Amino acid sequence: MSMFLVPALALAACNGEGEAPEVDDEDLPDAGDEAEEDDVDDGDEEADDGSALQMGTGSTGGTYYALGQEMANVINDHTEQQVNAVATDASVENIARVSDQDLELGMTVHIPAVDALDGEGDFQGEVMDNFGFMGYIYPETNQIVVLADDDIESVEDLEGERVNIGPPGSASHAASELVLDAHGVEDYESYEEGFGDGASMLQDGNVDATFGLLGLPDTGIEELAAQQDVELLTIEDEYLDEIEANSEYERITIEADNYDFMEEDVEGIAAYAVLIGSLDDVDEETAYEIVEGLYENADDVSHAQSEHMTMEDIMLGSEDLPLHPGAEQYFEENDLLD
């Protein structure tokens, strides 16, 4: 069984979602490209004095958006700070916009956050370091969904097929390409949609597979499985070894009891989803208050992935990331630092 399923998870040394992000407003991905306008929190709840903080989540069909809305509600209920959760293309966009002071908070996979500090990966030489770690959220698991009657039995079978790999600038996109590259799959028709749209496309027969870096289990997959017979593709050991050797992802066992349609375990890769905050726009007192209000009341979040937001696991994903000074003060006062 993967170490990601054990609470005392050792720290790893990345919903991710590629063009390189730019900090100029005109070059940043639009915050709601995947979302219907009516579905996106447009900031109407923002306080009249403009003091509400904006927290970047993900596309409306993914885990980040649904979970982020609830996290914002808990912060609003248990602190004096107002937070609005907004739809984005997730990890890389959130990091870029927090660093550019366009968002105050963001949800991200920890791997692109580490890349941002060195200008590596999707950041292609542009260092982005105006953010600090504020807490662990949940383990993100790469899940590859196909229709059961399509005779696609392995990742290699995706050669020449239509594959949704996730939005540009997301950790899902980066993880999908990592898995496909490891299997030598190069000739495929690529679609770059969020998981919700990708699931609809799979259901309608417009793609042959859809990837997502998602919570486990994921409600989007459960909803899709209620409409179609689906399967998850496994990653064989030789490819898992290659991926672990060339990235910060770790193998995870997706156990059969996660979904009713599964008959046996499959293997995948996973990373940490974390909360980050701007070092310029979120002061120490505010960051302290947010961490305290959110994590001491995480039981108020009904989303299934909130079960991972515990004091025992709060530092997961922090390795190699700067701590936000306000969060660090909270961690230190509560004996959470090693």
Side-chain angles (χ1 to χ4, degrees):
M1 179 181 296
S2 167
M3 62 192 297
F4 273 86
L5 303 181
V6 180
L9 166 63
L11 289 173
C14 172
N15 169 3
E17 284 85 353
E19 60 189 80
E22 300 290 342
V23 296
D24 293 336
D25 288 344
E26 63 269 25
D27 294 329
L28 284 170
D30 181 66
D33 283 346
E34 298 178 63
E36 294 295 331
E37 290 184 5
D38 291 342
D39 292 333
V40 179
D41 185 337
D42 59 5
D44 287 344
E45 297 180 7
E46 184 171 344
D48 292 340
D49 62 1
S51 63
L53 304 181
Q54 306 302 303
M55 180 173 71
T57 61
S59 65
T60 55
T63 303
Y64 274 15
Y65 184 76
L67 179 55
Q69 295 287 329
E70 291 200 44
M71 289 168 58
N73 289 339
V74 170
I75 294 169
N76 297 339
D77 289 343
H78 294 281
T79 75
E80 297 182 358
Q81 180 61 55
Q82 179 77 25
V83 173
N84 296 328
V86 298
T88 68
D89 281 340
S91 294
V92 173
E93 180 183 342
N94 291 341
I95 295 165
R97 293 178 67 186
V98 169
S99 194
D100 192 38
Q101 297 181 265
D102 187 45
L103 294 170
E104 289 77 33
L105 303 167
M107 300 167 71
T108 177
V109 175
H110 83 283
I111 293 175
V114 173
D115 287 343
L117 299 174
D118 299 318
E120 297 180 348
D122 285 317
F123 298 91
Q124 298 184 3
E126 182 158 8
V127 172
M128 294 185 178
D129 57 6
N130 176 30
F131 65 87
F133 173 91
M134 293 178 63
Y136 169 67
I137 306 176
Y138 70 95
E140 296 229 54
T141 304
N142 180 257
Q143 299 172 64
I144 312 165
V145 191
V146 299
L147 298 181
D149 58 0
D150 273 359
D151 296 325
I152 297 176
E153 298 179 354
S154 68
V155 177
E156 294 97 321
D157 291 339
L158 297 178
E159 186 77 24
E161 302 292 350
R162 302 163 300 171
V163 184
N164 179 53
I165 61 174
S170 71
S172 287
H173 190 283
S176 301
E177 290 190 326
L178 182 66
V179 171
L180 291 165
D181 288 347
H183 288 79
V185 177
E186 299 178 351
D187 181 19
Y188 59 94
E189 187 175 348
S190 175
Y191 292 81
E192 299 179 323
E193 305 295 338
F195 188 80
D197 289 338
S200 296
M201 294 169 72
L202 182 64
Q203 180 177 340
D204 295 339
N206 295 320
V207 296
D208 302 296
T210 186
F211 283 66
L213 200 58
L214 308 163
L216 187 65
D218 177 69
T219 55
I221 293 179
E222 292 173 331
E223 291 169 0
L224 177 61
Q227 304 295 324
Q228 293 275 10
D229 291 334
V230 299
E231 294 179 347
L232 296 185
L233 298 183
T234 195
I235 302 176
E236 302 295 339
D237 283 346
E238 61 180 301
Y239 301 113
L240 286 170
D241 290 342
E242 179 180 346
I243 291 169
E244 285 192 298
N246 293 286
S247 75
E248 300 300 333
Y249 286 90
E250 299 185 17
R251 67 182 64 204
I252 185 172
T253 297
I254 304 174
E255 297 184 331
D257 60 5
N258 278 286
Y259 297 108
D260 290 341
F261 64 85
M262 291 182 65
E263 296 181 356
E264 58 185 18
D265 298 349
V266 303
E267 300 300 318
I269 57 172
Y272 303 100
V274 301
L275 178 65
I276 61 171
S278 169
L279 297 177
D280 288 334
D281 293 336
V282 181
D283 60 40
E284 293 186 29
E285 181 180 354
T286 300
Y288 183 103
E289 184 180 4
I290 288 172
V291 174
E292 179 181 48
L294 176 60
Y295 285 91
E296 292 188 5
N297 298 283
D299 288 346
D300 290 355
V301 181
S302 64
H303 195 288
Q305 297 308 317
S306 68
E307 68 178 2
H308 302 284
M309 297 173 62
T310 65
M311 291 300 174
E312 291 78 14
D313 289 347
I314 195 171
M315 299 303 298
L316 296 181
S318 64
E319 186 176 9
D320 298 324
L321 292 178
L323 302 181
H324 193 290
E328 183 174 18
Q329 180 184 351
Y330 179 84
F331 300 150
E332 185 172 11
E333 288 182 4
N334 289 276
D335 298 321
L336 297 169
L337 297 176
D338 291 336

